[in-house]
Amino acid sequence: TAFFHGGLTEEIYMALPPGYTPKEGTTLPPNPVCRLKKSIYGLKQASRQWFLKFSSTLRKLKFKKSHSDHTLFVRNNDGKYLAVLVYVDDM
């Protein structure tokens, strides 16, 4: 479900889902599309958007991104060391 909360920075449009019916009295133009405001499962950009949101949240929590592995975030606070390693969409 994390993919559903990923915001989109670029404009992405998709064909209307099968079975979609407009409100009564409304007509649709030929080949209608809808603009996505949030990421959906199966979208090619979904995992990238999720990672951008996740990494920015970790940085706000004072984690630092590793130079050797861009999916490794570390935080050292008063001698307590915490490492978070992200693999695809798993921690």
Side-chain angles (χ1 to χ4, degrees):
T1 61
F3 285 161
F4 296 121
H5 299 287
L8 297 171
T9 55
E10 58 270 347
E11 286 190 17
I12 298 180
Y13 296 88
M14 65 175 257
L16 294 178
Y20 175 83
T21 54
K23 291 181 181 179
E24 191 174 319
T26 306
T27 57
L28 295 174
N31 301 317
V33 294
C34 58
R35 180 178 177 208
L36 299 178
K37 292 184 179 181
K38 294 280 186 176
S39 183
I40 61 172
Y41 188 80
L43 185 66
K44 290 180 184 177
Q45 295 90 336
S47 57
R48 179 170 40 100
Q49 293 303 109
W50 176 86
F51 184 77
L52 288 173
K53 185 171 187 173
F54 183 77
S55 60
S56 69
T57 301
L58 285 179
R59 288 181 179 202
K60 287 177 188 173
L61 295 171
K62 299 189 175 150
F63 278 82
K64 293 186 180 178
K65 196 175 191 179
S66 169
H67 294 291
S68 59
D69 185 343
H70 71 279
T71 63
L72 175 62
F73 297 86
V74 294
R75 182 176 174 189
N76 191 349
N77 190 15
D78 295 329
K80 295 177 183 174
Y81 182 79
L82 180 61
V84 176
L85 184 61
V86 182
Y87 179 73
V88 185
D89 62 350
D90 229 354
M91 292 177 279

